[in-house]
Structure formats: structure tokens, C-alpha cells
Amino acid sequence: MKLPDTKIILFNIAAGLVSVAAIVAAVRSFLITPGVAPCSERYASGTVFALEREGVIQTPVDLQARLGGRDVGLVENAVVSKAKIGPVPVALSVNLPKGSASPHSSATPTGGVSFSWEPKSIQAKTSACLAYSVLLPEGFEFGRGGVLPGIRGADADRQGQDGFISQLVWRAGGRVGVTNRVTSNSQLRVFPYAQENAVFPRGRWTKVEQEVVLGAPKETKGVVRVWIDGRLVLDVNAPVLRGKPDVAISGVAVDAFYSGDDASGGAPADTRLSLSPLEIRWQ
């Protein structure tokens, strides 16, 4: 019996592999949804919370004056200095002594910072993109968790008490998360979200981007997305962001501290973290 030609066999095997590869590619393209591009690539207009002016580094006192004194811990726990390495020449370094928790609590020692940055150009927008870099030092202990800057909103006339904070957080083990704190009719509701497979890196600068999209007028639902170094790690569809339709984006809640209310949930050891100048963008 005549055996098949070796070249024919190889050709058929190759053709079969190409067919299988084509089928796999087709299945993959059908099953895998393309990732959403980082919001900084899609939002054209923006402004920066600068840490220097005309080449002169701002002091915490300078920053406090720009904020009208509406801050907690900025002068006591922060330093603005040149960054030895990283994506920007100047950074805000935040001191987090052992046992320190939220600067709004009565815990001692005190640590961390908290203030609102509300540029006029972002007022009343219904979508925004916050971008900055954070440096958690090598060996940074995550403890029970902590908070980083996130987008906030308020009612349009600023006369009421309605609003929200979509707070970027690290949870136990460094997991990336978001906590939405929504206030409506003087009632606070808290909605936590976390990504089990995404952890904040340590020992290097990390690019963070957060996008918040409010629902259409008379709707309370929206979208929150988070990217770490350009990779989409959290995409929360239809989270509750506002209790009333007249609530719009108002700025950034610039928070950096361990999120406990006492020493048991505070910093496990003396440490610090650094933030680049923050950028808020809108469409």
C-alpha cells in the first residue's frame, strides 16, 4: 500500500493548526470584551493641583493658604519636596506614624492629610477623570486598609447637605478598592467595592486613574472605573452615587491616611507615602 506523501501530511497538519488558531481567535474575540482606554486618554480638558509655582516649591503653609485653611493635617503631616525618582519633579510626602488613623478621628498620634480641592472649572460636570501617581515604599504595611484621593460631588447650589465621595482605597493585603459614601437628606450610605486580583504595588511609583460618570438627570446610578498603570482593574456599573439628580461633580477629596478610627486600625508601623500633583479632567 502506498503511503501518503510526507509533504502532504505536513501541509494538512499546518492547515489544521491554522484553522484551529482561527477558530480560537474568533472565539476569543467573541468572549473577551476589549478593555476601556484609561480616562486620561479620553478627557480633553483638565487642570492640575500644582505643588510648585514658577519653579518655586510650595510649602504646606502655601497650600493651606490656597485652600482657605480648610484642611486637616496638611501643615503637621506633609512635606513638599523634590522627588529623587519618579514621574514628576515634585511630590507631596505624607507622614503616617505608627498607630495613626484618620486625621478626623481622636486617635493619637496624628497622621495623614485630608482636604477638598474644588477647582471652578470642574463644577457641575457629570463626568470626570482623576489622575495621579502614588509611591508606597518597599515594605509598606497595608494593615486594615487606608484611603487615597478620589472624586467627590455636591448639590448644585451648595446649600444642601447632599453629595458623594468616591474614595479610592487600599484594603487588607493591598487590594485595590473604591468606597462610595453617599449623603442624601442627612443620611449617609456606604457602598464598598474591591478587586480581589489587583494589589497596589510597593517600592515604585504607580499611576492611578479614576473615572466617575454620573447617571442621566433624575437618575441615581452611574459608573466608577479605576486603572492601575494603565490596566483597568475595577469597573463598577450603576453604583449609587447621588441621592438627588441635582448633585454634580465638585472636585477631589484629597485624603491619604489609614482608615481606622483608632490605633487598632491605624498604621502598623512608622511609614509615609508620596503623591504626585493631582490632575482632574473633564469632557
Side-chain angles (χ1 to χ4, degrees):
M1 180 178 67
K2 184 178 179 181
L3 296 176
D5 188 276
T6 304
K7 293 182 178 179
I8 295 176
I9 294 175
L10 293 176
F11 176 81
N12 289 336
I13 292 174
L17 291 175
V18 170
S19 299
V20 171
I23 293 172
V24 170
V27 171
R28 285 176 60 86
S29 65
F30 178 75
L31 294 178
I32 298 176
T33 303
V36 181
C39 58
S40 62
E41 299 177 8
R42 296 181 283 108
Y43 285 66
S45 302
T47 187
V48 176
F49 185 77
L51 298 178
E52 58 180 339
R53 286 188 173 180
E54 298 179 351
V56 178
I57 295 177
Q58 299 281 282
T59 67
V61 173
D62 294 329
L63 299 180
Q64 187 181 62
R66 286 165 52 188
L67 298 166
R70 298 185 299 274
D71 71 279
V72 179
L74 189 56
V75 173
E76 298 84 355
N77 302 318
V79 175
V80 182
S81 59
K82 291 185 177 180
K84 295 180 180 179
I85 57 172
V88 291
V90 179
L92 179 71
S93 180
V94 180
N95 189 36
L96 303 167
K98 182 178 180 179
S100 65
S102 166
H104 298 284
S105 72
S106 58
T108 55
T110 59
V113 299
S114 178
F115 61 89
S116 293
W117 173 43
E118 299 184 336
K120 292 181 179 180
S121 48
I122 196 66
Q123 304 300 310
K125 297 294 189 295
T126 57
S127 64
C129 170
L130 174 64
Y132 58 91
S133 293
V134 59
L135 172 62
L136 303 179
E138 193 73 44
F140 183 87
E141 296 184 46
F142 294 108
R144 295 185 182 179
V147 300
L148 293 169
I151 295 172
R152 69 180 304 148
D155 54 352
D157 59 11
R158 298 304 185 87
Q159 298 301 313
Q161 299 298 318
D162 298 306
F164 71 87
I165 298 178
S166 185
Q167 196 78 65
L168 196 67
V169 301
W170 75 80
R171 304 204 187 281
R175 291 176 298 134
V176 178
V178 165
T179 298
N180 291 338
R181 301 179 183 275
V182 181
T183 303
S184 181
N185 296 322
S186 300
Q187 293 185 338
L188 173 65
R189 293 179 295 169
V190 180
F191 304 90
Y193 306 93
Q195 172 54 267
E196 298 294 332
N197 299 320
V199 177
F200 280 102
R202 292 174 287 187
R204 65 174 178 83
W205 284 95
T206 301
K207 178 70 176 293
V208 176
E209 296 182 50
Q210 179 195 27
E211 180 180 24
V212 169
V213 180
L214 302 182
K218 299 184 180 180
E219 292 185 1
T220 59
K221 297 182 179 180
V223 174
V224 175
R225 298 186 180 101
V226 175
W227 292 261
I228 299 295
D229 288 331
R231 182 172 69 93
L232 182 64
V233 298
L234 196 63
D235 189 351
V236 183
N237 291 313
V240 175
L241 287 172
R242 51 181 176 174
K244 294 182 178 180
D246 63 343
V247 171
I249 291 168
S250 61
V252 181
V254 185
D255 293 332
F257 52 82
Y258 282 86
S259 55
D261 291 324
D262 54 42
S264 65
D270 290 340
T271 189
R272 62 178 54 245
L273 62 79
S274 297
L275 297 170
S276 71
L278 291 86
E279 181 181 28
I280 186 79
R281 304 181 71 86
W282 60 90
Q283 293 178 324

